[in-house]
Amino acid sequence: MRRWWEKWIAAPGLCPLCGSVHSSAVWAGIWDRLCSSCKAGLHPIRPPCCPLCGRSWPVPSLCGDCLRHRSRDLERNVGVLRYTSFPKELMRLFKYRGREVLAEPLGEMMAEALFAAGIRPEVVTYVPLHPDRMQQRGFNQSELLAREVARRLNLPLGSVLERIRPTPPQSRRSRRERMSALSGAFRLNPRSAGTAMDKKWLVVDDVYTTGSTLAECAKTLKAAGAKQVCSLTWAR
């Protein structure tokens, strides 16, 4: 008769994205715990890539977008994978179909990528939602990801940013329109005055598109005295 721990070790693993059964051990790394189907639909960003925005790039130098629109406040973004069709579907399920449980595997991927990139922040925060959007959705996906990243890296999580002005959906807007809509949209939470001073911050968001949102968050933190601001996104 098997002991309980032998049954646990022999038990098949479940893919953390789709729930299908596969043979990897439950304690394996996140990429080893994915089923072959999910793994085939994800395309991690590998070097070379742009050292600022984190997109795949033929050479390890600034991409064309960053050369033209470089943020003076955001030092670097790390993106885990390319935003292709399968990641878009996962993000839709996560944000709009109540699959908050996806925050755990996605956050694990993000924490692993950040550590591999050699970035060592002191505090983690996230892109906030406007209270109206928060009430509609019921949760902030960026906050859930940030909590998982902070937990895995053993870092404090600071809810220091507030979105004080609602902004329309940005996905179909140009860079210029995004920057105009986001200008002045964030502020430091009044209860957090002084907490940003002389610290290295990590701002977490789900997807990096043009970087306008993250750049505005970084601008707010730097104005409050942050020493350094980097960002981390699941997709780029």
Side-chain angles (χ1 to χ4, degrees), residues 14-20 22 30-31 33-44 81 84 86-87 90 99 102 109 234:
L14 298 178
C15 174
L17 299 183
C18 69
S20 63
H22 65 100
I30 179 61
W31 290 98
R33 300 200 315 273
L34 301 180
C35 69
S36 58
S37 178
C38 286
K39 193 180 295 186
L42 301 176
H43 305 284
L81 44 80
T84 52
F86 184 49
L90 286 174
R99 291 283 300 278
L102 287 172
M109 292 177 188
W234 183 62

Side-chain angles (χ1 to χ4, degrees), residues 136-151:
Q136 291 172 2
R137 189 173 297 168
F139 68 96
N140 179 353
Q141 75 282 353
S142 297
E143 180 181 2
L144 296 184
L145 293 172
R147 288 187 181 281
E148 187 63 25
V149 169
R151 183 181 73 84

